[in-house]
Amino acid sequence: MFRNAISAATRPALQQSRTATTLSAGFPRVTQRPPTKYGGVYTVTLIPGDGIGAEITDSVKEIFEHVNAPIEWEQYNVSGVSSAGENLFKQAMESLKRNRVGLKGILFTPISQSGHISWNVAMRQQLDIYASVVMCKSLPGFPTRHSNVDFAIIRENTEGEYSGLEHQSYPGVVESLKVSTRAKAERIVRFAFDFALKNNRKKVTCVHKANIMKLGDGLFLNTFRRIAEDYKSSGIEANDMIIDNTSMQLVAKPQQFDVMVMPNLYGAIISNIGAALVGGPGIVPGCNVGREYALFEPGCRHVASDIMGTNRANPAAMILSATMMLRHLGLDTIANNIASSTFDVINAGKVRTADMGVLKYSTGSATTSEFTSEIIKNL
């Protein structure tokens, strides 16, 4: 059982600069776990996902095997390409409920009306993993237009436009319901402030559209302002910003943001902007956490089916998400070792996958396998 998603904690007395290897520092640790099925220390549900998922999760498995990480995988090759895999999806959900911790790639969601619902969303709702956390941080070895970017996106995962409540009230007229509740707004806002405290962050920004959606987003914004008063004595600055202005400010001056909290749909948009600011979906880790379950996955949710099977995918986001999972399990030494090696490879700039582009010492033509091997070499 988890404690609260982020335990309220005082700021550490020793102030120091955060490094990228402190990802997930503020998440709770598992204190009790039933015996694993296969005799290892921890059993984790693995769902490789669609597109490049199998390739980048293979990188994680190869690295974990090399460092002898005490993880046993229960793997379910669920695919969202068709609804035929619904039974396998249900088995994967039972495994997640049993193990309480999972690592997954992104499952494809069809656009057509005849397609099944998003299984990514179904997992978040059924497990009530209500907080999505995406870390966006500039890396020295991956220069982009902006430098010194370092912010966390906290996204409410279970309601809003993703409630899935749609109907056609009259031919050619569709009503889509956006559900907002005070209870869920309050818990995600508290999560964001507690995350800021635990990780020595200075400011929390609420992203909204309350000028137009005065009731729905107004409830979210007013809840944020009320909760912010509880954290004033902690020295956490609080402000709010309309979503369209936030998008402009992110591409103009992203350094102004520290922790951002927002409803579901805005989080989907902002996480993509954030990933682009620091180099793309290949290096942005993330996770989804609730009171009882945690599911770790790349922060920018792309299937990347266009490069599926080509051995060209950047596995860094999945590897870093896996190190967040290790820290969650209390395996900090192994996590830091893998994360440090991953960042060393990126910052050295010699082995770069195609999405990372060309630098002085690299053509940007490394394969997924070569990038993984270089991480193992640096361990």
Side-chain angles (χ1 to χ4, degrees), residues 50-53 55 303-311:
D50 291 311
I52 60 173
E55 296 162 75
V303 174
S305 56
D306 56 324
I307 58 171
M308 173 183 175
T310 63
N311 199 23

Tab-separated table of all heavy atoms in Angstrom, residues 50-53 55 303-311:
chain	number	residue	atom	x	y	z
A	50	ASP	N	2.834	-0.351	-27.996
A	50	ASP	CA	2.865	-0.422	-29.454
A	50	ASP	C	4.054	0.361	-30.017
A	50	ASP	O	4.807	0.995	-29.287
A	50	ASP	CB	1.554	0.120	-30.027
A	50	ASP	CG	0.368	-0.790	-29.725
A	50	ASP	OD1	0.482	-2.006	-29.960
A	50	ASP	OD2	-0.656	-0.291	-29.228
A	51	GLY	N	4.184	0.341	-31.342
A	51	GLY	CA	5.242	1.101	-31.999
A	51	GLY	C	6.615	0.641	-31.552
A	51	GLY	O	6.965	-0.537	-31.634
A	52	ILE	N	7.409	1.587	-31.032
A	52	ILE	CA	8.787	1.296	-30.618
A	52	ILE	C	8.867	0.703	-29.215
A	52	ILE	O	9.963	0.469	-28.701
A	52	ILE	CB	9.654	2.569	-30.676
A	52	ILE	CG1	9.078	3.643	-29.729
A	52	ILE	CG2	9.765	3.080	-32.107
A	52	ILE	CD1	9.955	4.865	-29.580
A	53	GLY	N	7.720	0.454	-28.606
A	53	GLY	CA	7.694	0.016	-27.210
A	53	GLY	C	8.537	-1.208	-26.926
A	53	GLY	O	9.283	-1.256	-25.951
A	55	GLU	N	11.137	-2.335	-28.500
A	55	GLU	CA	12.572	-2.071	-28.646
A	55	GLU	C	13.139	-1.323	-27.443
A	55	GLU	O	14.225	-1.654	-26.948
A	55	GLU	CB	12.815	-1.269	-29.932
A	55	GLU	CG	12.439	-2.030	-31.196
A	55	GLU	CD	12.255	-1.102	-32.393
A	55	GLU	OE1	13.267	-0.629	-32.926
A	55	GLU	OE2	11.093	-0.856	-32.778
A	303	VAL	N	3.614	6.812	-29.820
A	303	VAL	CA	3.827	5.420	-30.211
A	303	VAL	C	5.023	5.299	-31.153
A	303	VAL	O	5.751	4.317	-31.137
A	303	VAL	CB	2.547	4.860	-30.874
A	303	VAL	CG1	2.784	3.460	-31.415
A	303	VAL	CG2	1.396	4.843	-29.873
A	304	ALA	N	5.242	6.329	-32.007
A	304	ALA	CA	6.357	6.360	-32.977
A	304	ALA	C	6.336	5.146	-33.892
A	304	ALA	O	7.371	4.504	-34.133
A	304	ALA	CB	7.693	6.486	-32.259
A	305	SER	N	5.165	4.822	-34.424
A	305	SER	CA	5.046	3.655	-35.298
A	305	SER	C	5.816	3.827	-36.604
A	305	SER	O	6.114	2.843	-37.284
A	305	SER	CB	3.562	3.374	-35.597
A	305	SER	OG	2.942	4.515	-36.159
A	306	ASP	N	6.156	5.072	-36.958
A	306	ASP	CA	6.878	5.310	-38.216
A	306	ASP	C	8.295	4.754	-38.188
A	306	ASP	O	8.880	4.487	-39.246
A	306	ASP	CB	6.913	6.809	-38.544
A	306	ASP	CG	7.507	7.646	-37.421
A	306	ASP	OD1	7.269	7.311	-36.255
A	306	ASP	OD2	8.187	8.640	-37.722
A	307	ILE	N	8.886	4.567	-36.997
A	307	ILE	CA	10.238	4.000	-36.918
A	307	ILE	C	10.229	2.646	-36.210
A	307	ILE	O	11.278	2.135	-35.824
A	307	ILE	CB	11.217	4.965	-36.220
A	307	ILE	CG1	10.741	5.316	-34.801
A	307	ILE	CG2	11.432	6.212	-37.046
A	307	ILE	CD1	11.782	6.087	-33.998
A	308	MET	N	9.065	2.078	-36.063
A	308	MET	CA	8.936	0.774	-35.411
A	308	MET	C	9.757	-0.279	-36.158
A	308	MET	O	9.720	-0.383	-37.388
A	308	MET	CB	7.451	0.370	-35.396
A	308	MET	CG	7.175	-1.026	-34.902
A	308	MET	SD	5.396	-1.396	-35.036
A	308	MET	CE	5.393	-3.121	-34.551
A	309	GLY	N	10.535	-1.052	-35.403
A	309	GLY	CA	11.288	-2.152	-35.991
A	309	GLY	C	12.539	-1.755	-36.738
A	309	GLY	O	13.204	-2.618	-37.327
A	310	THR	N	12.908	-0.478	-36.716
A	310	THR	CA	14.079	-0.020	-37.473
A	310	THR	C	15.337	0.081	-36.606
A	310	THR	O	16.411	0.400	-37.107
A	310	THR	CB	13.809	1.359	-38.103
A	310	THR	OG1	13.590	2.322	-37.058
A	310	THR	CG2	12.582	1.309	-39.011
A	311	ASN	N	15.211	-0.147	-35.296
A	311	ASN	CA	16.340	-0.047	-34.376
A	311	ASN	C	16.911	1.374	-34.359
A	311	ASN	O	18.112	1.572	-34.185
A	311	ASN	CB	17.438	-1.057	-34.755
A	311	ASN	CG	18.402	-1.338	-33.604
A	311	ASN	OD1	18.063	-1.158	-32.424
A	311	ASN	ND2	19.616	-1.759	-33.930
